[in-house]
Amino acid sequence: MRRKSSLSLRQRKDLLLSQLKIDPDLLRASFVERFSVCGKKNCRCHHGGQKHGPFYYLTQCLAVGKMAKFLLRTPAQQSEAKAGVAHYRQLQEQLEELSQINAELLRREDPLP
Ligand SMILES: [Zn+2]
C-alpha cells in the first residue's frame, strides 16, 4: 500500500465505494458443519463407526464468551445462511480495505476526500 501512488489509492477508493452494497440478507455469523454421536449407546457412532451428520449450524458471537447457535434444518435455510455469511464477509473486507486506504492517505497528509 505504501508503494502505491496517492492517485492509485484514490482510484481504488472510488472503485471500492462504487462496489459497496449492503445486502439486506447479510449475516454476521459462521456457517458450521458438524458430525455428532447420538444417544444410543449400542450405535456404531459410539464404537468407532461413522458419526451422524453432517448437521449445519449458524453460530453467532454476541459478546465475549457468549455464543448463539441453532440448527439449520432445511436446505433452503442452509443456502440462505451460507449466502448471508458470505455477503457479510465481503462487506467487511471492503470496509477494511477502505479504512486501510484512508489511514495511508492520512499518514501521507493527503486530504481524505
Ligand atoms: Zn449413533
Side-chain angles (χ1 to χ4, degrees):
M1 177 133 347
R2 290 190 176 198
R3 277 173 279 119
K4 286 184 180 164
S5 70
S6 292
L7 177 64
S8 75
L9 288 180
R10 258 175 237 292
Q11 285 167 343
R12 179 70 188 153
K13 183 174 169 173
D14 286 343
L15 182 70
L16 275 170
L17 285 168
S18 73
Q19 289 172 341
L20 269 186
K21 186 175 159 283
I22 295 187
D23 190 290
D25 303 324
L26 63 77
L27 288 163
R28 185 186 60 77
S30 298
F31 181 82
V32 179
E33 183 188 270
R34 285 276 177 277
F35 291 83
S36 58
V37 293
C38 69
K40 298 172 198 155
K41 286 290 167 205
N42 58 351
C43 180
R44 59 180 158 82
C45 69
H46 288 280
H47 303 281
Q50 218 175 21
K51 292 182 176 180
H52 302 274
F55 298 104
Y56 299 102
Y57 296 89
L58 193 80
T59 65
Q60 301 163 272
C61 182
L62 301 176
V64 178
K66 200 179 172 199
M67 297 287 289
K69 174 175 134 177
F70 62 89
L71 180 67
L72 300 160
R73 294 174 198 282
T74 70
Q77 272 182 310
Q78 291 157 13
S79 66
E80 281 177 12
K82 241 186 226 178
V85 168
H87 287 313
Y88 187 88
R89 190 160 302 156
Q90 186 188 30
L91 182 65
Q92 202 178 27
E93 282 167 11
Q94 289 168 326
L95 287 177
E96 180 58 29
E97 189 180 349
L98 185 60
S99 172
Q100 291 294 333
I101 289 171
N102 286 338
E104 178 60 17
L105 291 172
L106 192 67
R107 191 186 69 79
R108 293 179 188 183
E109 296 184 49
D110 281 355
L112 290 187

